[in-house]
Amino acid sequence: MSHALKHVTGLRCTVCGRVYGVEEAGYTCVDCGEAGTLDVEYDYAYINAHTARPALDGAPQRGMWRYRPLMPVDAGSPAPPLEVGGTPLYPAPRLAAELGLARLWVKDDGRNPTASLKDRASAIAVVKAQEQGARLITTASTGNAAAALAGLAASVAMPALIFVPETAPPAKIAQLLVYGAKVLLVQGTYDQAFDLCFAASQENGWYCRNTGINPYVGEGKKTAAYEVAEQLGWQPPDALVVSVGDGSIIGGQYKGFYDLLQLGWIEKMPRIIGVQAEGSAALYHAWRENINPAEMQPIDAHTIADSISAGLPRDRVKAMRAVRESGGAFVSVTDAEILGAIPALAQGVGVFAEPAAAAAYAGLRRAVDDGLVKAEDRVVVLATGNGLKDIASAMKSVGGGVTVAPNLDAVREAVATLLR
Ligand SMILES: *Cc1c(COP(=O)(O)O)cnc(C)c1O
Ligand SMILES: [Zn+2]
């Protein structure tokens, strides 16, 4: 089958710069191994000649596929039927006032079909798997990427095999099973599940969606940046705050704004601020110590925010580029700060976020304290996953309800205390 990716010029290794043709590219660079993640490159003049920003402004298609001319899929490939993307960007004036900021918005990507931003990536992965005629699609995940893949695969009746650590939150495992994926609960870490999944996919010729190995998943995640730009009238924020585990989401946000800048559709790039959990802060430390991301060593990762627990961030090269090239920063937050951010975000703007998503708000607080974000900055916090994904952690962040006997006297007494 001849490919119809007229707007894609090739895939470039982010470590050595070698460029591969669309047909010849595998998962990562043959010379650099797994650190050599590939970046999809576009012919921006071709895209501009065929799609104008004004045309997009009137496009009827909702969700991520409205940006199809900027995505690396065949013109003839059908999009999966689930509606991914098109998530709301809420103004958060009360939180802004608390932090002393002029303007703050929260983008609620927990509103996606399987309740996390990962749906954007899995939607592209399923299309690429179909384009390549794969029989089965597989991934390893801390939970959300797997849930997203299971859901998107179910929507197009493609078999899916998932590797997750057996310690993943039960809600995420339930999603996999309900969507009909075959599930391997690995008695080990995410990093071990990742390596097993990739090895098995090579042995069996399955299509592998693994973050950092698959060059296309970030191209789905970048659509959140397109939406932020469009929702703000193509005036990007001064700072975008994103939580970071493997570094694929933050890399995708940079790519999205980079594309728009190259197309001349926006005039500047936001500073991108990556937030890591203190117990899983490999990129934060590498950034502070000016270490080359391709030479980072694995650490032992521990955090309550399971979705950002990664010992060796798989997309470390793209993540570091996002922060360095945008003039941004990394910050690190404690698990206590992450838990505290869950009710703060829920009560301040009405968005119930899972720990990894609330971490972004905790990181904004830290960035304001450290002077990385200034009062006059227009700021967007990306809330990457829904709070119902991890109820056990949510319950740790708040007090319990009050038990009452079923009579009005008991209610009066309880109310007197509760509303005091
Ligand atoms: C995956 C995920 C992240 C982190 O994304 P990376 O690409 O691993 O850095 C953050 N929040 C949620 C809810 C996620 O599912
Ligand atoms: Zn290379």
Side-chain angles (χ1 to χ4, degrees):
M1 190 181 77
S2 81
H3 82 84
L5 297 185
K6 294 204 180 71
H7 57 310
V8 175
T9 55
L11 287 86
R12 182 185 299 270
C13 173
T14 52
V15 173
C16 73
R18 176 166 169 186
V19 178
Y20 296 83
V22 172
E23 304 284 272
E24 75 178 309
Y27 289 103
T28 57
C29 178
V30 293
D31 298 328
C32 302
E34 280 190 22
T37 50
L38 303 181
D39 192 16
V40 181
E41 294 195 325
Y42 294 87
D43 180 344
Y44 294 109
Y46 178 93
I47 293 172
N48 256 335
H50 291 82
T51 315
R53 198 186 81 184
L56 202 63
D57 287 343
Q61 169 88 53
R62 292 195 303 157
M64 65 184 275
W65 297 99
R66 76 191 262 103
Y67 308 103
R68 190 181 180 112
L70 287 67
M71 303 203 315
V73 296
D74 278 5
S77 298
L82 289 185
E83 192 169 307
V84 178
T87 58
L89 182 72
Y90 296 122
R94 277 179 286 144
L95 293 178
E98 237 174 79
L99 295 172
L101 297 176
R103 305 290 299 277
L104 174 64
W105 293 267
V106 175
K107 185 160 176 69
D108 184 11
D109 244 53
R111 281 273 295 263
N112 276 302
T114 79
S116 87
L117 185 145
K118 299 294 198 300
D119 285 335
R120 298 179 187 270
S122 290
I124 289 238
V126 161
V127 172
K128 297 313 283 183
Q130 286 180 318
E131 285 178 359
Q132 297 182 15
R135 297 174 283 117
L136 182 145
I137 187 163
T138 186
T139 199
S141 162
T142 55
N144 284 339
L149 186 63
L152 270 297
S155 79
V156 297
M158 176 172 279
L161 174 67
I162 308 288
F163 295 68
V164 277
E166 64 173 351
T167 53
K172 297 181 183 181
I173 294 172
Q175 283 184 293
L176 307 177
L177 297 166
V178 169
Y179 280 124
K182 300 284 185 267
V183 180
L184 294 173
L185 300 169
V186 178
Q187 296 174 309
T189 63
Y190 164 58
D191 298 275
Q192 290 172 306
F194 187 103
D195 292 336
L196 286 169
C197 173
F198 187 58
S201 75
Q202 294 292 88
E203 205 167 282
N204 294 283
W206 301 327
Y207 189 79
C208 182
R209 178 229 177 275
N210 276 7
T211 298
I213 278 192
N214 187 306
Y216 294 108
V217 295
E219 300 298 307
K221 291 170 182 169
K222 75 181 182 181
T223 58
Y226 295 164
E227 289 175 14
V228 167
E230 189 172 5
Q231 285 166 317
L232 294 178
W234 305 103
Q235 305 290 321
D238 298 298
L240 177 76
V241 188
V242 192
S243 61
V244 177
D246 271 330
S248 175
I249 292 180
I250 194 172
Q253 302 320 295
Y254 173 77
K255 183 65 173 293
F257 287 110
Y258 176 87
D259 284 346
L260 298 179
L261 204 57
Q262 299 306 310
L263 289 164
W265 296 7
I266 59 171
E267 274 158 24
K268 59 157 201 162
M269 166 81 67
R271 304 194 306 280
I272 300 181
I273 297 177
V275 182
Q276 293 219 277
E278 195 178 68
S280 176
L283 275 160
Y284 166 75
H285 291 293
W287 177 74
R288 293 201 46 152
E289 287 147 36
N290 210 17
I291 289 169
N292 177 349
E295 281 153 24
M296 282 169 60
Q297 295 303 313
I299 59 162
D300 226 354
H302 296 284
T303 167
I304 193 163
D306 60 293
S307 300
I308 50 172
S309 184
L312 182 62
R314 301 286 169 167
D315 246 332
R316 52 198 178 276
V317 177
K318 289 181 186 172
M320 194 66 85
R321 177 176 70 179
V323 165
R324 286 188 177 147
E325 297 287 311
S326 73
F330 279 105
V331 296
S332 135
V333 292
T334 64
D335 278 3
E337 289 173 304
I338 290 172
L339 282 182
I342 296 175
L345 208 48
Q347 292 163 31
V349 70
V351 172
F352 182 15
E354 71 163 270
Y361 183 64
L364 172 61
R365 283 177 161 169
R366 180 59 71 94
V368 169
D369 285 347
D370 291 354
L372 295 166
V373 170
K374 304 265 186 285
E376 65 275 14
D377 283 339
R378 296 161 66 248
V379 181
V380 169
V381 167
L382 189 52
T384 41
N386 190 281
L388 293 174
K389 291 271 195 175
D390 184 0
I391 286 304
S393 296
M395 290 303 282
K396 281 187 200 147
S397 74
V398 286
V402 176
T403 307
V404 282
N407 66 70
L408 197 51
D409 276 342
V411 169
R412 285 190 191 111
E413 200 176 309
V415 163
T417 326
L418 258 183
L419 300 185
R420 193 170 44 204

